[in-house]
Each structure stands twice: as structure tokens, then as C-alpha cells.
Amino acid sequence: MNTILLGRVTSLKADFFNRDPRRVARALLGKLLVRKTPQGILASRIVETEAYLGQDDAAAHTAAGRTARNAVLFGPPGHAYVYFIYGNHYCLNVSCLPDGIPGGVLFRALEPVAGVEQMAKARGIGLAKETERKKTSLLKKISSGPGRMAEAFEITRERDNGKSLVSSRSDLRIVDDGYRVRRIVVTPRIGIVKSADQPLRYFIAGNAFVSGRQV
DNA sequence: TACATGATGCCCT
DNA sequence: GGGCATCATGTAG
């Protein structure tokens, strides 16, 4: 993608997503979400995800079967499922498993890597005049949370729902820059009522950009 | 056509 | 730590 800015990276293939969402959610930790914009490249490391299992998972949007809204989750793997929630926020998911079988992974938190100023601006956060100490706490507000990261990447349902995250022509992609995750923590998912006890939330241990409180 | 609800974040206390 | 904004979607009537 942008080899000067990011070093050597390889784009993930559709096969990466063609498996159980629990495995995809784990494997996505440490990868980079990359957006090409007219103003420049945005890149952030994926530090927190949640798996949604399809028809056997009461908390998944696909639990009651296929509808116009959730069709992407029933489609081929590696595509963006974007939905609008609470009248304010968009959330980004990626479809998993083969065409016809529902399942997906929710992106919950990102660590900003490139295009930080642009992402801060998209969030209404000013960084320029801040002290280093204050900047550190503001950086966390850019994309620590599913609604926040969607806003930072300017992700909307209109623009991004159904888009491939693995196509070389896509402006929104996921790449591997060789970063290796040391330890992964697994907890129950956040903000749900049904099936709230299942341990399907994954995050990089010790990472400061994970949303909410760390265990 | 009406209504309840939600994979959230912000602001105020 | 709690209330609230705000609306698309699905389901019931």
C-alpha cells in the first residue's frame, strides 16, 4: 500500500476471514486497518475485537436470520458490515465464514499509527497546541471504542457497507506489517444483554488503547 | 403505521 | 457513575 510510510506490508486475503469468527477475532489483533483518503493515508493497529457467531449467537445481528440490513454478514468473507446504532454511531465489522454462512468480527479499538492529525480532526480533537502529557490522553480518545474508531476513519454505512476489505482496489483494507502480539486477553463482550456471558472479546494485553477498563 | 430497542459516547455531577 | 441524545431497523398490529 504505502511502503514509504508503513514499511513492508502484505494485504490480508479473503481466506484469512473464511473461518470461525473466534479465530479471526484473535488473528486480527496486531494487524493494521488502512484507509486511503484524498488527504492522505490513515493507519491504525487493531487492539480489540469481538466475535459474533451467526445464528447460534443470540447477541449477533444475524440471530433472527437474514434481512436487508445484515445481508453482508451472510455474504462472502472479508467484507465490511457497517451499522448505525443509538442514533449517533457507526460500528465496523468484517464478515467471516463462506458465502451463505453468517458470522463476523466487530472492531472495538485501534491504536493510531499514521494520519493521526487527520483522525483527531475527524473526531473533533485538536492536538497541535497540547503538551506531550495531555496529548497522550487525547490520543486514546481518537479510536478507543467502536463508535470512536468509525468516526476517526470516517466510516459510514452509506460509504462503506458491503465494501471488500481485501481487494487491492478498495480504499479500506487490512494489512499485516509483521507486528507480533505477545499476549491476548479474553473477556465477555461489552454492551450486550443476550449471551453476555460468553468470552468472545479479545484484546492485546497491556495495550493502552483498549476501550473501557482493562482486566 | 406505530413502537420498542440497541455490539455507544459525551457531558455533567 | 449515571442520564441522555437520537434514529435505523425489525416486528407487531
Side-chain angles (χ1 to χ4, degrees), chain A residues 121-192:
Chain A
K121 191 177 174 188
R123 293 271 299 115
I125 297 171
L127 292 175
K129 301 178 197 165
E130 302 295 343
T131 61
E132 285 306 312
R133 185 178 180 80
K134 188 97 179 275
K135 256 186 199 175
T136 306
S137 74
L138 285 176
L139 283 176
K140 178 166 179 176
K141 296 190 172 192
I142 291 177
S143 50
S144 294
R148 291 174 173 184
M149 55 143 288
E151 189 173 39
F153 270 68
E154 299 185 75
I155 288 167
T156 66
R157 180 168 173 90
E158 296 70 32
R159 180 187 301 167
D160 299 305
N161 189 54
K163 183 178 284 183
S164 170
L165 297 181
V166 294
S167 165
S168 57
R169 292 183 301 280
S170 179
D171 66 323
L172 188 63
R173 296 169 67 186
I174 302 171
V175 304
D176 186 348
D177 68 341
Y179 181 89
R180 290 292 164 248
V181 176
R182 292 168 188 272
R183 198 163 70 82
I184 293 172
V185 181
V186 185
T187 75
R189 294 172 293 187
I190 291 181
I192 59 171

Side-chain angles (χ1 to χ4, degrees), chain A residues 66-120:
Chain A
R66 185 177 190 142
T67 66
R69 176 171 73 143
N70 65 27
V72 174
L73 291 172
F74 284 83
H79 289 252
Y81 169 56
V82 181
Y83 64 91
F84 189 61
I85 188 106
Y86 296 125
N88 293 314
H89 308 286
Y90 289 99
C91 295
L92 173 67
N93 302 245
V94 58
S95 61
C96 298
L97 296 167
D99 196 0
I101 302 178
V105 171
L106 169 70
F107 296 81
R108 282 198 57 90
L110 308 174
E111 175 177 350
V113 172
V116 180
E117 292 287 341
Q118 188 181 336
M119 291 190 284

